[in-house]
Amino acid sequence: MKIYKCPICGNIITIIEGNIKPITCCGVDMEELLENTVDASQEKHVPFYEVKDDLILVKVGEVEHPMEEDHYIQFVMLTKDDDLLYIKKFNFNEKSEFKFEYVKGSKIYSYCNKHGLWSKIVQ
Ligand SMILES: [Fe+2]
């Protein structure tokens, strides 16, 4: 599951099916978001989770990430292979945590508007 961001306006998209090239916005190519490409605190960005029954509570991160207007977690996402995708988007004044269906072997992502994309595999 690839995610792209416009370097000009900040639009973020993902593609459900297909291999679209190029993907443009504001007249320029959108950039693929890659994990761990910005140097920042792992404790505040890598998603942290607790499993209870058939649900998984995802928090960002093990040490709570700031949720301020200019620096916050924009979304968390859970994926499994190429056929499952759950996304929870946040506003800056919300708490960056959400309950998803527990799916063993899935991958959870967090995205900070300043420090990029982070992930963890669900055991
Ligand atoms: Fe951050």
Side-chain angles (χ1 to χ4, degrees):
M1 214 60 83
K2 293 181 176 181
I3 308 165
Y4 299 87
K5 183 172 184 175
C6 174
I8 309 260
C9 72
N11 278 343
I12 297 175
I13 66 163
T14 189
I15 295 168
I16 304 298
E17 185 73 57
N19 187 16
I20 303 163
K21 293 273 166 85
I23 302 169
T24 60
C25 183
C26 298
V28 299
D29 286 355
M30 294 186 85
E31 298 169 348
E32 184 180 344
L33 295 182
L34 301 173
E35 298 168 46
N36 307 327
T37 50
V38 179
D39 187 23
S41 155
Q42 298 242 336
E43 298 77 33
K44 287 184 182 175
H45 292 93
V46 173
F48 178 77
Y49 69 87
E50 298 164 9
V51 176
K52 190 165 185 195
D53 302 322
D54 57 350
L55 294 176
I56 179 172
L57 172 64
V58 176
K59 299 178 178 182
V60 187
E62 193 164 357
V63 174
E64 196 172 339
H65 187 278
M67 292 298 278
E68 296 158 1
E69 194 164 5
D70 63 340
H71 181 205
Y72 67 103
I73 299 299
Q74 277 189 280
F75 63 86
V76 291
M77 182 169 102
L78 183 149
T79 68
K80 178 79 192 302
D81 304 323
D82 269 342
D83 54 12
L84 178 68
L85 173 64
Y86 295 133
I87 300 174
K88 170 58 182 161
K89 188 179 163 200
F90 299 110
N91 293 312
F92 69 86
N93 53 1
E94 293 180 296
K95 210 168 170 69
S96 59
E97 60 180 61
F98 194 72
K99 284 180 185 163
F100 294 101
E101 172 191 3
Y102 169 62
V103 181
K104 189 174 181 175
S106 60
K107 191 170 185 181
I108 45 178
Y109 293 88
S110 57
Y111 181 74
C112 166
N113 69 328
K114 269 193 180 171
H115 301 113
L117 192 65
W118 304 77
S119 73
K120 183 179 273 182
I121 300 290
V122 174
Q123 303 298 318

